[in-house]
Amino acid sequence: MKKLVALLLSLLMVASIIGCTSEQPADSKDSSTGTKTEEKAKTEEKAEEKASTEEKDTLYIPVISKGFQHQFWQAVKSGAEQAAKDYGVEITFEGPETEAMVDKQIEMIEAAMSKQPDALCLAALDSQAVIPLLNQADAAGIPIIGFDSGVDSDIPVATAATDNLAAAAVAADKMAEAIGNEGKVALVVHDQTSKTGVDRRDGFVKRIEEAYPNIEIVDIQYGEGDQLKSTDIAKSIIQANPDIKGIFGANEGSAIGVLNAVKELGKEGEVVVIGYDSGKLQQDAIRNGTMLGAVTQDPIGIGYKAVEAAVKAVNGESVEKDIDTGFFWFDQSNIDTEEIQARLYE
């Protein structure tokens, strides 16, 4: 019996030793794995911090235009992209399908702001509808740069745009000269909500009323910058006023619409057409004489100056409140000069 008890005790001791021996490596293995896991986590954390720092070093600036349907906006885009390249910043460039889609542009601004950009460049379709969003951006410390068209607010740090009042006044002078300072004229404008639409309309009308008492403005219509709609509007104006002498189209789509109406009604040479902007169809019309001339802006310069101003604002540099990007009158006499060719786009 004593031998059996002794044997059992011996077996228990051996089992105990084996158990301790087998647990030790397990503990050591867990400890090693834990250390490796912690090191991996720290490495990943450092990588994320580095990526985050690098990401912050590259400014992100969304650029939201009034549309995409005209060559004008493609030229603005190329200028913005050149500035982004020169200053080493990241931009996105987008705009609604038509210049009548105010709600769509509002959605684009909201989406851009949700990405917490360093600054935002905006050509507002509605100079007042965007103000609540601009207030939010201001509260969040996001500098706003207007381009092409301003807003009814002091929030934008700067606005890069043409002096549209002065440019439209030049168009009025050219119209008056072409029709002998007397007769009926009309306007087809892209809208009455954006600052460009309002300023081009008012600049033309004010100049005619101030300087040419024998010229009567018989109608002002709005075609949303759409060629087909502007064509129908211009045809209606001409049919209602068969003795009309001239029509001013206040942007590319409006001007092409007026041009199409004059052609369809066989009024070439009878109705003077003056446009704004400088797409290929306008250039062709000026060369063949169906359009007297047009005011061209500097769209590439507008896009470039907007992004440049945004970068400076983010970096705390001083920026001019109103950045005048200039304008030029062109017709058959100067369309092929080096000065004008540098500002035209197709």
Side-chain angles (χ1 to χ4, degrees), residues 54-65:
E54 291 175 350
E55 192 173 307
K56 287 179 181 176
D57 286 344
T58 302
L59 300 182
Y60 167 57
I61 303 170
V63 182
I64 300 177
S65 73

Side-chain angles (χ1 to χ4, degrees), residues 159-204:
T159 300
T162 305
D163 183 343
N164 285 294
L165 286 167
V170 169
D173 287 337
K174 296 295 182 180
M175 178 68 81
E177 180 182 356
I179 65 174
N181 296 329
E182 63 179 7
K184 297 178 179 178
V185 299
L187 293 81
V188 176
V189 185
H190 40 296
D191 64 63
Q192 52 185 331
T193 57
S194 72
K195 201 162 188 321
T196 58
V198 172
D199 283 355
R200 291 175 196 176
R201 176 197 66 196
D202 292 352
F204 188 94

Side-chain angles (χ1 to χ4, degrees), residues 326-344:
F327 67 87
F328 301 84
W329 167 261
F330 70 105
D331 54 24
Q332 282 186 331
S333 69
N334 66 349
I335 188 171
D336 291 316
T337 62
E338 185 176 345
E339 180 183 43
I340 295 299
Q341 282 294 310
R343 272 86 184 181
L344 302 186

Side-chain angles (χ1 to χ4, degrees), residues 25-297:
D27 289 345
S28 299
K29 183 178 180 181
D30 287 344
S31 176
S32 175
T33 302
T35 301
K36 289 179 179 179
T37 302
E38 290 175 5
E39 289 176 352
K40 183 180 180 182
K42 288 180 180 177
T43 302
E44 290 176 350
E45 186 178 345
K46 288 181 179 178
E48 288 176 0
E49 288 177 357
K50 182 180 179 182
S52 177
T53 302
E54 291 175 350
E55 192 173 307
K56 287 179 181 176
D57 286 344
T58 302
L59 300 182
Y60 167 57
I61 303 170
V63 182
I64 300 177
S65 73
K66 293 166 69 175
F68 254 113
Q69 76 271 45
H70 301 314
Q71 291 302 313
F72 175 82
W73 295 115
Q74 299 303 318
V76 173
K77 180 173 182 282
S78 68
E81 290 175 340
Q82 183 60 53
K85 182 179 180 182
D86 290 349
Y87 284 93
V89 301
E90 178 190 355
I91 70 165
T92 51
F93 194 101
E94 59 184 329
E97 289 83 357
T98 76
E99 296 184 20
M101 303 175 77
V102 176
D103 291 345
K104 182 71 176 293
Q105 189 186 55
I106 295 289
E107 291 174 4
M108 289 178 170
I109 298 169
E110 290 173 335
M113 286 179 56
S114 70
K115 299 176 183 175
Q116 300 180 323
D118 294 288
L120 188 148
C121 297
L122 171 67
L125 277 172
D126 190 315
S127 59
Q128 295 193 5
V130 299
I131 290 177
L133 285 173
L134 299 193
N135 287 329
Q136 292 179 27
D138 190 44
I142 301 171
I144 300 294
I145 306 296
F147 68 96
D148 179 67
S149 194
V151 296
D152 297 329
S153 167
D154 290 330
I155 289 178
V157 176
T159 300
T162 305
D163 183 343
N164 285 294
L165 286 167
V170 169
D173 287 337
K174 296 295 182 180
M175 178 68 81
E177 180 182 356
I179 65 174
N181 296 329
E182 63 179 7
K184 297 178 179 178
V185 299
L187 293 81
V188 176
V189 185
H190 40 296
D191 64 63
Q192 52 185 331
T193 57
S194 72
K195 201 162 188 321
T196 58
V198 172
D199 283 355
R200 291 175 196 176
R201 176 197 66 196
D202 292 352
F204 188 94
V205 171
K206 186 178 179 181
R207 182 63 177 166
I208 292 292
E209 291 178 346
E210 285 180 347
Y212 307 103
N214 295 323
I215 295 178
E216 178 187 4
I217 297 175
V218 295
D219 207 349
I220 302 173
Q221 294 286 333
Y222 303 92
E224 300 176 355
D226 180 84
Q227 292 182 20
L228 295 177
K229 188 171 183 177
S230 298
T231 299
D232 291 340
I233 287 172
K235 287 168 68 175
S236 297
I237 292 174
I238 295 170
Q239 288 166 339
N241 302 275
D243 57 343
I244 195 167
K245 288 190 173 181
I247 303 178
F248 170 50
N251 80 339
E252 184 179 348
S254 306
I256 297 302
V258 173
L259 192 63
N260 290 340
V262 169
K263 288 180 181 176
E264 290 179 22
L265 296 176
K267 290 285 188 176
E268 297 105 318
E270 296 181 36
V271 178
V272 175
V273 180
I274 287 179
Y276 209 108
D277 299 321
S278 59
K280 184 177 187 305
L281 291 177
Q282 288 194 85
Q283 293 181 47
D284 291 343
I286 288 170
R287 285 195 170 92
N288 66 34
T290 50
M291 181 179 284
L292 176 67
V295 173
T296 183
Q297 307 179 81

